[in-house]
């Protein structure tokens, strides 16, 4: 470089503002961020979820890994003031998300089923969103969604139940011990249970008539809510129904891989926190808050052995999904046709457009239903993107709310007034 060039460069640099060097702790954070990101890339990604119903686990793989954090944001840097450097994974109570918890008995000739229900009642003339979880989940799968929905629609209520064989819903069959109960998870039985729960809540809350109902079903729950809407048993109280991340074609195709997934996932966990962590690390659930409220309800701790001592790996799955295999096919056959033909507004919320089958593609082009896609979410859309799901459902209700509909007067009445 010549003397003239050096002089010119010095003159230019002198006019620039001074930028101090990065502090050493910032450099350390950047190094830790790079290391954590490399570790994250090395983690095995789960292509399945806890919901055998959809087994849209296989089809959900296309949306896995769509979120790519920027290293410049230090998303993986260790929080200051924390020696552990990890997010708290303690379980959250249901009372943070719902107002009431009920155990309502429903006697039948051959059995007595006690439904476990969470409820935030609607305000006067407000709608009631009735949610139904997928296979292997519980009513708390919709806890964070319920909280966000009540922010978007303050006058709305949310009812979320544990299906039979899930959560804390229990069954007593006559002349049969609790261990020998034959679990009927057929679509017809589950849909009858849902209707019964709604009528039991109406009686419990002393409602003279049902509020406007909006069904929200995830995976298997989508098949159940669609079946109820198709049956017409609740009449004009049903304003509409939303199905979350399940379509007939891809669900049936994915059923073939469910047994291999179930055999590969952990059989138990040493603690609730480790169960929550597994769901987050495997990206089965991608929202920490939702995992902290929903995952504990999926697990139960049992005393093992004659001494009734607690096994260190004693937190096991509450629902035996492998035992539900005889019902898998029946859950989804004919789902697309029923979804398109049932009465009420229709919303299909997916994690990827690749899940649409031919019948739904044709229906979408004909404008028979509303389609919303969240490519950044996994199979558990309502948990991964609870706020966005709540906003979409709130807008869906507003479009299908008939209470504010004002019809013009009949022509005969107008002619009578003029005369």
């Amino acid at each position: 470089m010549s003397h003239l060039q050096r002089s010119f460069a010095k003159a230019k640099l002198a006019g620039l503002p001074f930028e101090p060097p990065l502090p050493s702790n910032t450099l350390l954070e950047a190094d830790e961020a790079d290391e954590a990101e490399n570790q994250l890339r090395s983690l095995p990604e789960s292509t399945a979820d806890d919901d055998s119903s959809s087994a849209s686990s296989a089809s959900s793989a296309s949306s896995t890994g769509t979120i790519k954090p920027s290293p410049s944001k230090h998303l993986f840097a260790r929080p200051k003031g924390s020696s552990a450097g990890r997010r708290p994974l303690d379980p959250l109570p249901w009372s943070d998300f719902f107002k009431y918890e009920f155990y309502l008995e429903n006697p039948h000739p051959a059995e007595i089923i006690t439904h476990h229900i969470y409820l935030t009642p609607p305000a006067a003339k407000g709608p009631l969103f009735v949610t139904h979880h997928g296979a292997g989940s519980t009513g708390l799968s919709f806890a964070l969604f319920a909280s966000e929905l009540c922010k978007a629609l303050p006058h709305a209520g949310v009812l979320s139940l544990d299906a039979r064989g899930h959560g804390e819903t229990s069954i007593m069959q006559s002349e049969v011990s609790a261990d020998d109960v034959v679990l009927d998870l057929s679509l017809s039985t589950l849909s009858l249970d849902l209707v019964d729960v709604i009528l039991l809540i109406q009686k419990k809350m002393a409602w003279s008539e049902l509020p406007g109902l909006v069904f929200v079903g995830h995976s298997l729950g989508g098949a159940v809510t669609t079946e109820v809407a198709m049956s017409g048993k609740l009449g004009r109280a049903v304003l509409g129904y939303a199905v979350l991340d399940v379509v007939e074609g891809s669900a049936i195709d994915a059923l073939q891989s469910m047994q291999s997934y179930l055999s590969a996932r952990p059989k138990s966990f040493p603690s609730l926190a480790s169960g929550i962590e597994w769901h987050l690390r495997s990206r089965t659930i991608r929202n920490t808050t939702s995992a902290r409220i929903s995952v504990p309800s999926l697990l139960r701790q049992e005393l093992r052995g004659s001494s009734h001592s607690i096994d260190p790996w004693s937190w096991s799955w509450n629902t035996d999904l492998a035992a539900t295999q005889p019902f898998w096919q029946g859950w989804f056959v004919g789902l697309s046709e029923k979804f398109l033909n049932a009465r009420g507004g229709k919303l299909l919320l997916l994690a990827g457009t690749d899940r649409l089958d031919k019948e739904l593609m044709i229906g979408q082009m004909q404008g028979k239903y509303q389609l919303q896609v969240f490519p950044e979410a996994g199979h558990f859309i309502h948990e991964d993107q609870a706020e966005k799901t709540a906003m979409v459902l709130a807008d869906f209700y507003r479009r299908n709310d008939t209470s504010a509909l004002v019809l013009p007067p009949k022509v005969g009445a107008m002619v009578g007034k003029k005369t």
Side-chain angles (χ1 to χ4, degrees):
M1 181 183 292
S2 67
H3 177 72
L4 180 62
Q5 289 174 324
R6 284 197 296 269
S7 301
F8 177 76
K10 288 180 179 179
K12 279 288 184 180
L13 291 173
L16 296 176
F18 173 72
E19 293 186 1
L22 291 173
S24 59
N25 63 335
T26 303
L27 295 175
L28 288 174
E29 287 181 0
D31 292 340
E32 291 171 357
D34 293 339
E35 181 182 355
E37 189 174 5
N38 291 333
Q39 291 175 356
L40 182 67
R41 287 171 181 164
S42 67
L43 289 175
E45 292 183 348
S46 172
T47 58
D49 54 59
D50 289 337
D51 188 350
S52 71
S53 69
S54 103
S56 70
S57 37
S59 60
S60 294
S62 61
S63 62
T64 301
T66 55
I67 302 177
K68 297 181 179 179
S70 170
S72 63
K73 298 299 183 181
H74 303 300
L75 296 182
F76 296 97
R78 180 173 297 151
K80 296 181 179 180
S82 171
S83 59
R86 299 175 64 184
R87 295 169 297 184
L89 296 178
D90 295 333
L92 297 175
W94 67 266
S95 54
D96 287 353
F97 304 90
F98 295 99
K99 188 172 182 180
Y100 299 114
E101 178 186 38
F102 296 117
Y103 293 85
L104 301 182
E105 284 193 0
N106 186 20
H108 294 277
E111 65 182 17
I112 298 176
I113 179 169
T114 302
H115 296 285
H116 183 221
I117 304 162
Y118 300 98
L119 175 69
T120 297
K125 297 183 179 180
L128 179 65
F129 286 75
V130 180
T131 67
H132 198 296
H133 60 80
S137 295
T138 69
L140 290 179
S141 174
F142 283 94
L144 185 57
F145 162 81
S147 177
E148 295 294 342
L149 180 68
C150 291
K151 295 176 186 176
L153 283 176
H155 65 299
V158 181
L159 182 157
S160 191
L161 77 157
D162 291 347
R164 61 170 61 207
H166 296 73
E168 296 184 39
T169 291
S170 60
I171 301 174
M172 291 182 58
Q173 294 179 345
S174 57
E175 301 181 0
V176 176
S177 65
D179 295 333
D180 297 326
V181 169
V182 178
L183 193 60
D184 179 8
L185 290 180
S186 63
L187 185 60
S188 58
T189 297
L190 293 174
S191 61
L192 287 174
D193 284 347
L194 182 57
V195 173
D196 288 345
V197 164
I198 294 172
L199 298 179
L200 286 170
I201 283 293
Q202 179 184 9
K203 182 178 179 180
K204 180 71 176 180
M205 303 303 293
W207 294 333
S208 58
E209 60 181 7
L210 286 173
L213 303 176
V214 179
F215 288 122
V216 185
H218 173 245
S219 202
L220 163 62
V224 175
T225 54
T226 300
E227 183 76 12
V228 173
M230 188 70 184
S231 70
K233 292 180 179 179
L234 297 173
R236 294 188 173 274
V238 179
L239 302 178
Y241 49 98
V243 172
L244 308 186
D245 207 49
V246 61
V247 297
E248 179 181 349
S250 60
I252 292 177
D253 290 342
L255 290 178
Q256 302 173 9
S257 63
M258 281 311 300
Q259 283 292 1
S260 59
Y261 160 69
L262 294 177
S263 61
R265 72 174 183 172
K267 299 296 187 294
S268 59
F269 302 94
S271 65
L272 288 177
S274 64
I276 295 171
E277 183 181 16
W278 178 83
H279 280 80
L280 293 171
R281 288 172 62 86
S282 65
R283 295 176 66 79
T284 301
I285 299 175
R286 307 179 184 186
N287 185 308
T288 302
T289 302
S290 189
R292 290 171 64 192
I293 176 63
S294 66
V295 172
S297 64
L298 308 180
L299 306 172
R300 63 181 175 186
Q301 192 174 35
E302 296 181 348
L303 298 177
R304 299 182 180 179
S306 58
S307 61
H308 297 288
S309 60
I310 297 178
D311 190 303
W313 285 80
S314 57
W315 291 95
S316 56
W317 300 104
N318 196 27
T319 301
D320 183 3
L321 287 178
T324 67
Q325 185 176 8
F327 305 102
W328 292 354
Q329 197 82 6
W331 288 342
F332 304 110
V333 172
L335 174 58
S336 294
E337 181 180 358
K338 287 183 282 189
F339 174 76
L340 293 172
N341 295 326
R343 179 186 175 278
K346 304 166 180 61
L347 170 65
L348 181 60
L349 210 164
L350 301 176
T353 54
D354 59 305
R355 290 160 171 76
L356 286 177
D357 56 27
K358 180 179 178 181
E359 197 166 359
L360 290 177
M361 286 182 181
I362 295 174
Q364 169 64 13
M365 289 186 289
Q366 294 174 340
K368 291 185 176 181
Y369 66 93
Q370 177 187 345
L371 175 64
Q372 186 76 39
V373 180
F374 287 169
E376 67 274 22
H379 177 53
F380 289 83
I381 294 179
H382 55 298
E383 297 200 54
D384 298 345
Q385 298 289 329
E387 183 178 4
K388 287 186 178 181
T389 303
M391 295 300 294
V392 169
L393 264 296
D395 291 339
F396 174 70
Y397 160 71
R398 294 187 186 102
R399 283 193 295 272
N400 291 279
D401 179 19
T402 57
S403 63
L405 183 63
V406 179
L407 297 176
K410 294 182 179 180
V411 176
M414 295 176 65
V415 173
K417 287 184 179 180
K418 290 182 179 181
T419 57

